[in-house]
Amino acid sequence: RGRARLTAWLANRSVRGADTVAATALEAAQAQQTALPGEDVAAQIVADLAGQILALDDRLKRIDKQISETFRSHPQAEIIESLPGMGPILGAEFVVAAGDLSAYADAGHLASAAGLVPVPRDSGRRTGNLHRPKRYSRRLRRVFYMSAQTSMMREGPNRDFYLKKRGEGCKHVQAVIALARRRASVLWALLRDGRVFTSAPPVTQAA
């Protein structure tokens, strides 16, 4: 607090000789030399932990760099990474989780593999009873969900679609999943056509 503020604080509480008491308290505080038991040991532990965290951080950066370099050697890396929100780390995870991309006959199969398409559970006369699938690739779903959540934070068609879904009454998670489903279709089309993503729709040329 300093002497002036401490004196005022004591005076407001009707302490006699507030100025003298403040000066004595500050003098005693400055002369304090008490060391707590284990203080040196604790300081060394903190220093060791800090060193380990820094070393781990450096190691993680090297791993991320290695993953990025390996992913960008993939023939379709440029296409995958061109989709907003799909960086090299998520792109690498997509390649690993999706496997052979030719195995997906259409965008629906890719979205279904990622658990982004509800499955019907109709019985008897009940129809339209849709539920979240139980069998799907959770890694693939994570890729599309995380990339969708990243992309909708920036201005552009992804955010516009997300806000549209929120305006229709969807909750946050529902809107992100709807966006992820749409992005699965976009990515599949990009990979099929061998072209990178652009915000402008492709021009269809007349035969």
Side-chain angles (χ1 to χ4, degrees):
R1 285 179 175 269
R3 180 168 178 173
R5 293 182 63 187
L6 182 56
T7 299
W9 186 85
L10 293 170
N12 290 335
R13 285 156 181 76
S14 303
V15 176
R16 287 188 177 183
D19 185 60
T20 303
V21 173
T24 303
L26 290 173
E27 184 179 351
Q30 292 169 0
Q32 183 67 36
Q33 299 294 333
T34 302
L36 297 175
E39 187 178 272
D40 293 340
V41 176
Q44 185 60 50
I45 291 174
V46 171
D48 292 343
L49 288 175
Q52 292 176 27
I53 291 172
L54 290 174
L56 178 60
D57 185 55
D58 290 339
R59 183 182 178 188
L60 291 175
K61 288 180 180 178
R62 289 196 299 270
I63 292 174
D64 285 350
K65 183 179 179 181
Q66 184 178 0
I67 292 174
S68 298
E69 291 174 351
T70 303
F71 165 69
R72 284 172 177 155
S73 66
H74 189 278
Q76 294 174 309
E78 184 181 2
I79 298 174
I80 296 170
E81 197 173 355
S82 71
L83 189 66
M86 189 73 82
I89 303 301
L90 281 178
E93 192 170 348
F94 168 75
V95 171
V96 173
D100 184 5
L101 298 177
S102 64
Y104 305 97
D106 53 35
H109 281 78
L110 178 60
S112 179
L116 300 173
V117 180
V119 295
R121 290 186 184 175
D122 300 336
S123 60
R125 296 181 179 179
R126 297 185 62 184
T127 59
N129 189 19
L130 301 177
H131 291 266
R132 175 178 172 178
K134 291 185 177 181
R135 299 182 62 184
Y136 58 89
S137 170
R138 281 159 175 76
R139 293 185 66 182
L140 198 55
R141 181 184 176 92
R142 177 184 177 277
V143 169
F144 282 113
Y145 187 90
M146 294 298 294
S147 65
Q149 190 157 261
T150 300
S151 67
M152 66 89 179
M153 294 180 181
R154 299 179 180 178
E155 296 294 333
N158 290 281
R159 181 169 179 80
D160 293 342
F161 184 83
Y162 168 80
L163 293 176
K164 176 186 175 183
K165 287 300 178 181
R166 290 303 304 269
E168 293 174 356
C170 292
K171 295 181 180 180
H172 169 71
V173 173
Q174 294 173 325
V176 174
I177 290 177
L179 175 58
R181 170 66 179 89
R182 188 188 195 195
R183 287 166 55 83
S185 297
V186 172
L187 182 57
W188 185 86
L190 294 176
L191 294 171
R192 177 198 62 192
D193 299 341
R195 60 184 176 84
V196 297
F197 175 84
T198 58
S199 56
V203 178
T204 303
Q205 296 181 354

